[in-house]
Structure formats: C-alpha cells, structure tokens
Amino acid sequence: MSQRRASVFQSESLAESRPHAHPAPVEPPERFLPETTEEYLLDALERLDASEMRAGHLTTALVHSRTIGAAVGVLMATGKITEAEAFDRLREASMGQNRKLHVIAQEVVDRGTL
C-alpha cells in the first residue's frame, strides 16, 4: 500500500474514533401542533394579532425616535452634556412627570429647553 493510501486510511480511522468536531444541530423547541382545524385557526389568528401589535409598536417607536433624537441633540448643545446624560435627563423628566418620553422630547424640540 502506498504512503498516500495509508495516510488516507489512517485519517479515516482517526476521524471515526474521535467525536465530531461540530455538534449535531440543535432541534428547535417543539411547537404547538393543533389537532383540529379550529385550534389551527385560533393559533394562526393569535400569531397574526401579535405580529400586527408588534408592527404597530415598532412603527410608533420609529416615528418617535426622531423626535427623541432631536431633543437629545438640543439638550446636548444647550447644556454641553453627553448623549447619555441628555437621554437620562429626558427619561428622568418623563418618569418624574409621569408623561410619555416622546411628549417631553417634543416639548424640548419646540421650546429648546427641558
């Protein structure tokens, strides 16, 4: 047997004796498997409602993020503070007044101060 063939057989036997370098793929957790059409439809509707709610929240967050970013910029410029400090001030004002952060942010943008 040639050296090349011997090394191939040797590497094959080593590979068989060693545990796999890569673990087996992890199975996803079991998902609810409906037994009836009614269960299937109810599950699908619940998932659709959750997706629509999430999309609405993300849309709202995206709309308000610009206002909040602008307010942070105003506070940074007027107060000579960092971005984190400006956001903390907005957050503290929101909690202290029990008002939405984006409402406080809009007031800062409009008035130029907190």
Side-chain angles (χ1 to χ4, degrees):
M1 183 176 341
S2 73
Q3 280 189 332
R4 181 178 288 174
R5 271 186 148 178
S7 67
V8 168
F9 285 122
Q10 185 179 17
S11 64
E12 285 177 0
S13 64
L14 284 176
E16 291 171 3
S17 66
R18 284 187 283 180
H20 296 296
H22 300 288
V26 177
E27 293 293 321
E30 282 191 38
R31 194 158 184 284
F32 168 71
L33 296 175
E35 294 182 17
T36 66
T37 303
E38 182 180 341
E39 287 177 352
Y40 175 81
L41 291 173
L42 287 173
D43 180 55
L45 287 173
E46 286 174 6
R47 287 185 287 126
L48 178 63
D49 286 344
S51 295
E52 287 176 345
M53 187 180 302
R54 180 175 162 87
H57 288 286
L58 290 172
T59 300
T60 301
L62 183 61
V63 167
H64 295 307
S65 70
R66 289 180 177 233
T67 304
I68 293 168
V72 166
V74 168
L75 293 176
M76 289 172 63
T78 59
K80 306 287 188 234
I81 58 177
T82 67
E83 183 179 357
E85 291 169 330
F87 184 80
D88 285 342
R89 288 189 186 176
L90 279 175
R91 186 179 48 79
E92 289 166 5
S94 171
M95 290 189 305
Q97 297 174 28
N98 196 26
R99 296 170 60 209
K100 298 273 185 184
L101 187 98
H102 70 89
V103 173
I104 302 287
Q106 185 62 56
E107 291 175 0
V108 169
V109 170
D110 292 342
R111 292 189 309 212
T113 185
L114 187 61

